[in-house]
Amino acid sequence: RQLPILAILTSKVASVDDNASGGAYAYRASKSACNIIAKSLYIDLRSEDRGTVVLLHPGYVKTDMTEGTGLVDAETSVAGMLRAIEATGPKTAFR
């Protein structure tokens, strides 16, 4: 049986280790909180055999938020995230 996959959009900006620029406090904190919630949901859903969770980082996308300076367009980003979801199964480790 196919279990549900909860896909949650996050950002590399939430990384403590990868933070070289500082700033964006609220955005970083909200994405970090999202990551912690996703991990807890993953543990709970998997332990009850009710589904799984995958975190998705869209990449540096050409949007208004990046003032068009991103590395990929939105269509490419979405296609990559869909591939990540499709590659997620009941035995996939949290990522």
Side-chain angles (χ1 to χ4, degrees):
R1 111 186 160 170
Q2 175 69 31
L3 293 176
I5 299 168
L6 177 60
I8 298 175
L9 196 60
T10 187
S11 175
K12 198 169 148 181
V13 171
S15 171
V16 172
D17 190 51
D18 194 47
N19 181 356
S21 61
Y25 302 109
Y27 184 74
R28 288 180 193 280
S30 69
K31 292 300 183 180
S32 293
C34 184
N35 293 349
I36 294 298
I37 291 168
K39 176 66 177 189
S40 291
L41 274 169
Y42 171 83
I43 292 167
D44 294 342
L45 290 173
R46 292 291 296 266
S47 70
E48 299 170 11
D49 198 31
R50 293 180 54 207
T52 193
V53 177
V54 61
L55 286 172
L56 301 172
H57 170 56
Y60 190 48
V61 184
K62 295 175 187 172
T63 63
D64 291 344
M65 184 176 171
T66 64
E67 298 177 346
T69 62
L71 301 175
V72 297
D73 59 34
E75 292 79 15
T76 302
S77 173
V78 170
M81 289 187 289
L82 287 172
R83 281 193 304 277
I85 294 167
E86 291 166 352
T88 301
K91 298 198 184 309
T92 306
F94 181 75
R95 55 184 168 100

